[in-house]
Amino acid sequence: MGGRIRSSRLVVRDTRCSATANPDCSSSSPTHQSIIIPSHPIPHLSLITSPHSLFPSSLSSLFAPTKQNMELSLRSSLSIRHVSIPILFSSSSRNTLPLPHLSNPTSFSPLLFSSSRRSVMVCASAVELKKTEKEYFPVSGIRVTESELPNSCLKLSVEVSPRICLQCYNSSLDEYSKHLKVHGFRPGQRLPENLIANYVGRENMQKAAIEAILKKTLPEAMSSVEGRAVRDSLRITSKLEDMSDSFSHSSVFRYDVVVDIAPTVTWLLDTKYKDLKIVVEIDDIIDAEKASEREFMRRHKALGALRIVTDRGLQLGDLVVLDIYGESIADGESKSEKIPNSERKGFHLDTEESSSLLPGFLEAIIGIRQGETRSFPLEFPQSWEQESLRGVSVNYTVECKELFYRELPPLDDSIAGQLVPGCTTLNQVKELILQRCREVERTAIDQATDNAILDRLGKIVEVDIPQSLFEEQGRELYGAKLLQLQAENRLNENQLQSLAREESVREYLQKERENISAIVRQMLAIGEIFKSENLQLSTEELVKEVEKSVAEFKNHNQDYDEDRVKEQVQDVLEGAKVLEWLRENARIEYVKK
């Protein structure tokens, strides 16, 4: 929003797997990092305004790790360790390690390269040019060619002049000379090239020079996408072994990088987002009048005592304990299959609160007595929430374990104080319950309206979503889901570890691709509206919300990045501003479900 969209308000941190920015260009491997789970996840789109802010002090984070290349390393410390290139981190990449300050020539700094067959790879090579170096290369000695890829991705083919290659090669030799202790040479004295090769090997000398070239030329190469590149989406796709095999400090050096760019939001309506018609469906459960009646009855029933039924079967108003078994019916009952999670033992059913039951289930058990078993067929309607059960025929077997009725106190003013403390009459009780239900109704309607607006926005925009945004949003949703299950004590430690594996995350991303993509489209549309309508935030409300978020972290003894918190809080407030503007300017119609 306002040129960037990031994750929304921070709540708690956890661990998750890191992702490569674009699986079509590089492969990924699971890496545990600290993540930030939002209360309302919003995709992170932060644009790079300076090419230097694209790179960490170590290049290792720019390469997708592979099993083969994880053991490759560079010997000795290079002159590039003195180069300070800052990076702004998103939630998907915070813990990039800098190159170590090495004290001996046997230390290593890893470079990891993509081995994905889907990657667009151009190996470094030594070539002869028909044009002279001065004619072919600009003053910087770097030539960059852009190629568009799917998902708002750019491939940059970088060519480095022999002059720059030789400078970087000599620079790496100088660094080796500083750290190698060779009899007969003063400390820091430039050592002969052949002598250095005897100590560290030609291959490591070449790899050191390649790293120096990448560190020197990447900022210049990325200047062409300044203001367009999505932060933390840069990946080098050329293989280290290919670059090393064909490297020559007297010839042109070539490598490829890919980077996601800010996608273009295309509106499918001539009026774009203005004069929108929004239809909001309101469920009966939101109706304050009906909700207050249900709450009044619930409180009255809570005052009653349960009595065992001995002389009759189940009636409406009773509470029954059941053992339930269900099997699907197929091929004219010649074949049956157990339905997952259909077996329920000791299931407590209040016959006055049966709206979530399968249609026909309650009617089939009316009259059942304690100890009695009944079997009956039912069919799940096409409107059933769980898609896999829609239209499925089921044979249920139900055993009545216990049967109770409620002995309720008289419904008069004498129980008013028990229904709501402080009340003396039933009218006061009903009025107070209705007032509270109306407050809940307003909140629920506002939420339903926001959801309808977001749903509508997602359907009237077309966006070529960058893979880095898709993955970040999907991983945040998945992390929030795991945290919720953990908070509800529905996962033990082993289950949580299993679900946190990269395979599980990838499976979730694939399964929820449509939903995740819709959320990204919605938030990009919101960012576009905030910018187009020149909406503003007050400094006071921003500071207030940041302080609230920081207090939450401190209360939970969680680490946090205050700048990151500020960015995310700002995005949440900007989103709220846009939704408020749309509620005021759209044509909203409320209908009953």
Side-chain angles (χ1 to χ4, degrees):
M1 301 168 197
R4 67 192 187 288
I5 297 181
R6 309 180 193 85
S7 303
S8 65
R9 181 174 178 178
L10 304 174
V11 176
V12 65
R13 293 179 183 263
D14 201 343
T15 56
R16 70 172 179 185
C17 302
S18 66
T20 58
N22 193 331
D24 294 331
C25 303
S26 58
S27 62
S28 66
S29 67
T31 306
H32 292 286
Q33 294 185 335
S34 177
I35 64 169
I36 298 176
I37 302 302
S39 55
H40 303 286
I42 298 177
H44 174 93
L45 174 58
S46 187
L47 302 185
I48 299 301
T49 56
S50 168
H52 291 277
S53 63
L54 279 161
F55 314 107
S57 56
S58 170
L59 289 172
S60 59
S61 65
L62 302 183
F63 295 84
T66 67
K67 184 176 181 181
Q68 177 183 5
N69 292 317
M70 286 196 60
E71 298 176 356
L72 296 175
S73 55
L74 299 181
R75 205 180 281 268
S76 181
S77 66
L78 309 178
S79 61
I80 57 175
R81 69 187 177 89
H82 300 296
V83 180
S84 176
I85 302 179
I87 182 170
L88 304 177
F89 293 100
S90 76
S91 63
S92 62
S93 177
R94 291 188 185 80
N95 299 323
T96 302
L97 297 176
L99 282 172
H101 288 260
L102 304 179
S103 58
N104 62 75
T106 60
S107 297
F108 290 81
S109 72
L111 278 179
L112 307 182
F113 289 73
S114 171
S115 63
S116 171
R117 293 181 180 178
R118 296 173 294 171
S119 300
V120 181
M121 302 210 179
V122 177
C123 305
S125 60
V127 297
E128 295 296 332
L129 299 175
K130 293 182 179 180
K131 293 184 178 181
T132 65
E133 181 179 335
K134 289 185 178 180
E135 291 174 328
Y136 188 77
F137 288 98
V139 177
S140 64
I142 302 168
R143 187 181 181 92
V144 182
T145 304
E146 293 185 7
S147 303
E148 290 188 5
L149 297 177
N151 302 321
S152 296
C153 184
L154 275 184
K155 183 186 82 170
L156 305 180
S157 299
V158 185
E159 297 174 284
V160 183
S161 70
R163 173 176 59 86
I164 300 297
C165 293
L166 182 59
Q167 288 177 4
C168 293
Y169 185 75
N170 288 332
S171 176
S172 65
L173 295 183
D174 289 340
E175 282 298 314
Y176 279 123
S177 298
K178 290 178 183 178
H179 295 283
L180 286 172
K181 295 180 180 179
V182 180
H183 181 70
F185 289 88
R186 295 189 305 275
Q189 181 181 350
R190 175 67 180 268
L191 301 177
E193 182 178 335
N194 289 337
L195 184 59
I196 295 175
N198 290 337
Y199 272 82
V200 302
R202 288 282 179 187
E203 183 180 352
N204 286 309
M205 290 171 61
Q206 289 177 341
K207 291 176 183 175
I210 289 171
E211 184 171 351
I213 292 171
L214 294 175
K215 291 286 287 186
K216 181 178 180 64
T217 61
L218 272 172
E220 173 68 24
M222 294 302 298
S223 63
S224 65
V225 293
E226 181 179 336
R228 296 186 293 155
V230 177
R231 193 166 62 192
D232 301 323
S233 66
L234 176 66
R235 290 293 180 271
I236 299 173
T237 57
S238 297
K239 285 185 177 180
L240 173 59
E241 56 265 33
D242 291 335
M243 289 193 287
S244 182
D245 289 345
S246 55
F247 174 77
S248 170
H249 59 70
S250 60
S251 300
V252 174
F253 178 79
R254 288 176 172 163
Y255 64 93
D256 286 344
V257 298
V258 294
V259 63
D260 289 339
I261 59 173
T264 301
V265 176
T266 303
W267 298 95
L268 302 179
L269 300 178
D270 293 337
T271 56
K272 295 184 178 181
Y273 53 85
K274 296 185 177 180
D275 197 33
L276 279 181
K277 181 179 180 181
I278 309 293
V279 177
V280 184
E281 291 186 333
I282 304 297
D283 200 305
D284 281 345
I285 199 169
I286 298 178
D287 190 297
E289 300 286 344
K290 293 181 179 179
S292 65
E293 292 176 5
R294 288 193 297 268
E295 178 63 15
F296 182 82
M297 291 174 59
R298 186 193 66 78
R299 294 186 181 219
H300 183 217
K301 285 194 297 183
L303 299 179
L306 290 178
R307 306 298 182 192
I308 298 175
V309 176
T310 58
D311 57 348
R312 62 172 176 80
L314 178 67
Q315 295 178 355
L316 285 176
D318 292 343
L319 189 144
V320 62
V321 181
L322 304 169
D323 283 352
I324 305 173
Y325 308 87
E327 291 183 330
S328 63
I329 305 171
D331 299 329
E333 298 189 12
S334 62
K335 180 181 177 182
S336 62
E337 183 179 338
K338 184 178 178 181
I339 298 177
N341 302 320
S342 64
E343 183 176 324
R344 303 290 296 275
K345 290 190 175 182
F347 178 68
H348 288 66
L349 173 62
D350 185 340
T351 55
E352 290 185 345
E353 299 177 4
S354 59
S355 58
S356 61
L357 288 177
L358 179 63
F361 186 90
L362 180 60
E363 291 77 4
I365 63 172
I366 288 295
I368 194 172
R369 289 176 174 265
Q370 184 175 354
E372 180 184 350
T373 299
R374 288 187 183 181
S375 294
F376 49 89
L378 291 175
E379 182 176 313
F380 285 90
Q382 292 298 330
S383 59
W384 195 253
E385 183 177 0
Q386 189 173 340
E387 291 185 18
S388 60
L389 293 177
R390 293 174 184 174
V392 175
S393 296
V394 184
N395 188 66
Y396 278 107
T397 299
V398 177
E399 181 183 356
C400 178
K401 307 298 289 185
E402 296 179 89
L403 185 58
F404 303 93
Y405 71 94
R406 287 188 177 87
E407 192 173 78
L408 300 174
L411 195 58
D412 54 35
D413 291 344
S414 64
I415 64 168
Q418 294 175 273
L419 295 172
V420 177
C423 291
T424 57
T425 67
L426 289 182
N427 286 336
Q428 287 180 336
V429 171
K430 292 179 179 179
E431 184 60 34
L432 187 57
I433 292 176
L434 179 59
Q435 181 181 340
R436 292 177 181 174
C437 286
R438 281 175 176 160
E439 293 173 359
V440 173
E441 179 187 50
R442 282 194 294 271
T443 302
I445 290 176
D446 286 345
Q447 185 62 59
T449 303
D450 288 346
N451 290 341
I453 291 173
L454 290 171
D455 183 65
R456 181 68 173 144
L457 286 178
K459 293 176 180 177
I460 63 172
V461 294
E462 196 173 77
V463 184
D464 191 17
I465 299 173
Q467 185 66 22
S468 55
L469 290 186
F470 171 82
E471 289 224 3
E472 181 177 354
Q473 174 62 26
R475 288 173 183 274
E476 287 187 347
L477 287 172
Y478 188 70
K481 183 179 180 181
L482 291 187
L483 282 183
Q484 182 180 359
L485 292 174
Q486 188 179 23
E488 295 171 354
N489 295 320
R490 293 167 61 184
L491 292 177
N492 58 38
E493 190 65 26
N494 291 333
Q495 290 172 323
L496 185 63
Q497 297 247 347
S498 175
L499 290 172
R501 289 193 316 234
E502 179 66 10
E503 308 90 85
S504 300
V505 178
R506 286 287 171 191
E507 183 180 344
Y508 173 83
L509 292 177
Q510 185 60 35
K511 182 181 178 182
E512 296 295 324
R513 175 169 291 276
E514 185 175 343
N515 179 47
I516 296 169
S517 298
I519 292 174
V520 176
R521 287 196 302 272
Q522 292 165 5
M523 295 303 104
L524 291 174
I526 281 182
E528 190 73 13
I529 295 172
F530 187 88
K531 182 172 60 177
S532 299
E533 294 300 322
N534 197 27
L535 302 177
Q536 302 292 329
L537 290 178
S538 71
T539 304
E540 183 180 350
E541 61 181 330
L542 179 60
V543 170
K544 184 179 178 181
E545 288 300 320
V546 169
E547 290 174 350
K548 281 184 181 180
S549 295
V550 169
E552 287 181 14
F553 276 103
K554 291 181 178 178
N555 289 339
H556 291 88
N557 295 319
Q558 295 289 333
D559 295 331
Y560 63 92
D561 181 337
E562 190 162 348
D563 289 336
R564 177 69 174 157
V565 172
K566 182 178 179 181
E567 290 174 352
Q568 293 184 324
V569 168
Q570 182 172 341
D571 288 334
V572 172
L573 294 177
E574 289 178 359
K577 285 284 185 183
V578 171
L579 289 173
E580 181 183 356
W581 185 91
L582 287 170
R583 283 197 296 268
E584 293 174 355
N585 292 275
R587 292 178 289 124
I588 300 176
E589 178 184 357
Y590 295 94
V591 297
K592 291 289 184 181
K593 251 186 184 179

